[in-house]
């Protein structure tokens, strides 16, 4: 359910509407918009009449929301949402590029890559300190030390940091360092982690599970938003299919579909999507042409020595080529990248 109010409704009226919703045992979610203010109602089953709402100053109408992922859906918030990560805006005219190594391996590695990607136009630095690896014997990440290295790179370059949180136990620690919390494909349906991330006020980059449908991704985002954290960015990173010549199948159908169903920004990870460094740039171009709001790209100063995902990592030089080439596609679809 959704209570639609005038954009300039007095704060007292907004509080009064929220109070009426809480009195019925439901949760109000205030979502300001360009032309109206919406208050989403969660916790109800179907339409329920809440007495007196229509009589409150500023209330225009009360509508039934049919989507199962209400807060994520355009029914509740018709305009694109802008998620602001330390001044970097996702969902506006700019296509935001996040770049950096798969894993934080050393101070020198991160500093070098951070300086290079900044120079080449990236707006955020990526790098995993907690790494979800298929084998328990593979490099698991530098953990707290890795977070400290990322913080140092942020300090020097000014690039905000996106880094993965793997479990609820580490959430407070990772949130202390991250500007954008990454929830990875393997954790997309870790509902306890989603709820805990929803209780923080840190923006979340939610990656699609490798066997998850678009609807399941949207419902996972709803878990975060239902806890009052509305700063969610969706990420298509490739799904498992029968095709085995690439690491995953980058599902670019998901971009326009998610933009239709949801007001949240959508970013694409072409590195995990295809898994082959020489094919990352064409897929990045295709993702921008399909309408994504950002890219997350793996870059390593020595891909051949990388402790994880070297095969899909670009050298800084190749990342520079990606940027100039994707910039031209962005211009063709009325977006900006380097400008
Ligand atoms: C990553 O970004 O390095 C990563 C582990 O991504 P995903 O969760 O999409 O596999
Ligand atoms: Mn990786």
């Amino acid at each position: 359910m959704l209570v639609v109010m005038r954009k300039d409704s007095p704060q007292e009226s907004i509080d009064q509407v929220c109070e009426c919703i809480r009195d019925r045992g439901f949760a109000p979610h205030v979502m300001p918009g360009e032309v109206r203010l919406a208050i989403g109602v969660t916790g109800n089953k179907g339409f329920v009449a809440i007495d007196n709402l229509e009589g409150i100053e500023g209330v225009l109408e009360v509508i039934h929301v049919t989507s199962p992922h209400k807060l994520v859906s355009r029914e509740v918030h018709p305009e694109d949402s802008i998620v602001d990560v330390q001044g970097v805006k996702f969902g506006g005219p700019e296509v935001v590029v996040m770049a950096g190594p798969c894993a934080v391996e050393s101070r020198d590695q991160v500093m070098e890559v951070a300086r290079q990607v900044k120079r080449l136009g990236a707006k955020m630095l990526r790098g995993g300190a907690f790494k979800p690896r298929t084998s328990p014997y593979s490099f698991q990440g530098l953990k707290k030390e890795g977070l400290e290295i990322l913080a140092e790179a942020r300090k020097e370059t000014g690039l905000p940091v996106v880094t993965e949180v793997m479990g609820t136990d580490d959430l407070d620690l990772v949130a202390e360092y991250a500007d954008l919390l990454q929830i990875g494909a393997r954790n997309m349906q870790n509902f306890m982690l989603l709820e805990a991330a929803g209780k923080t006020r840190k923006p979340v980059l939610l990656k699609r599970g490798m066997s998850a449908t678009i609807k399941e991704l949207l419902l996972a985002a709803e878990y975060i938003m239902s806890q009052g954290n509305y700063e969610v960015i969706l990420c298509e990173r490739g799904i498992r299919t029968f095709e085995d010549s690439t690491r995953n199948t980058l599902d670019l159908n998901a971009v326009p579909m998610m933009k239709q169903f949801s007001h949240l920004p959508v970013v694409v990870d072409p590195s995990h999507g295809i898994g082959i460094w020489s094919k990352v740039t064409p897929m990045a171009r295709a993702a921008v042409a399909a309408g994504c709001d950002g890219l997350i790209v793996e870059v390593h100063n020595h891909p051949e020595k990388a402790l994880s995902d070297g095969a899909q990592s670009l050298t800084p030089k190749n990342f520079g080529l990606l940027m100039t080439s994707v910039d031209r596609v962005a211009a063709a679809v009325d977006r900006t990248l380097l400008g």
Side-chain angles (χ1 to χ4, degrees), residues 101-103 126-128 130-133 164 182-188 205-210 235-238 247-248 269 271-273 296 298 308-309 312:
C102 176
R126 66 146 289 148
F130 290 84
K131 290 305 303 173
R133 303 306 299 278
E164 179 160 354
Q182 176 173 328
I183 296 185
R186 290 156 191 79
N187 264 319
M188 189 206 83
L205 177 71
L206 179 63
K207 299 188 86 174
R208 180 178 181 182
M210 56 189 89
C235 179
E236 164 58 39
R237 49 75 74 203
R247 179 175 181 185
N248 290 296
D269 175 346
S271 307
H272 292 85
I296 179 162
E298 289 187 341
S308 75
D309 288 351
Q312 66 195 34

Side-chain angles (χ1 to χ4, degrees), residues 83 85 162 165 171 179-183 193-194 196-198 200-207 224 229-235 265:
V83 173
V85 182
V162 53
V165 54
L171 181 59
D179 299 295
L180 175 61
L181 285 170
Q182 176 173 328
I183 296 185
L193 180 59
L194 297 174
T200 72
R201 288 299 170 264
K202 279 273 152 133
V204 177
L205 177 71
L206 179 63
K207 299 188 86 174
I224 300 169
N229 184 354
Y230 309 122
E231 309 293 300
V232 180
I233 301 169
L234 305 169
C235 179

Side-chain angles (χ1 to χ4, degrees), residues 10 38 56 112 114 123 137 146 155 162 197 227 271 275 277 279 294 299-300 327 336:
I56 298 173
E112 169 67 11
K123 295 289 157 59
Y137 306 118
K155 196 162 173 221
V162 53
Q227 301 303 310
S271 307
W277 73 265
K279 312 292 183 290
V299 178
H300 198 289
D327 186 44
T336 60

Side-chain angles (χ1 to χ4, degrees), residues 107 111 147-157:
R107 189 184 169 278
M111 287 302 173
L147 296 171
E148 283 162 2
I149 293 171
L150 287 169
E152 202 181 328
R154 166 177 52 209
K155 196 162 173 221
E156 194 194 298
T157 60

Side-chain angles (χ1 to χ4, degrees), residues 161-194:
V161 162
V162 53
T163 194
E164 179 160 354
V165 54
M166 279 175 56
T168 48
D169 288 355
D170 305 317
L171 181 59
D172 289 345
L173 175 69
V174 178
E176 235 180 83
Y177 290 86
D179 299 295
L180 175 61
L181 285 170
Q182 176 173 328
I183 296 185
R186 290 156 191 79
N187 264 319
M188 189 206 83
Q189 285 188 319
N190 179 338
F191 300 116
M192 301 240 285
L193 180 59
L194 297 174

Side-chain angles (χ1 to χ4, degrees), residues 92-96 123 288 326-327 330-331 333-339:
E94 188 183 354
V95 176
V96 177
K123 295 289 157 59
V288 170
V326 174
D327 186 44
V333 292
D334 302 322
R335 307 289 290 264
T336 60
L337 189 109
L338 290 171

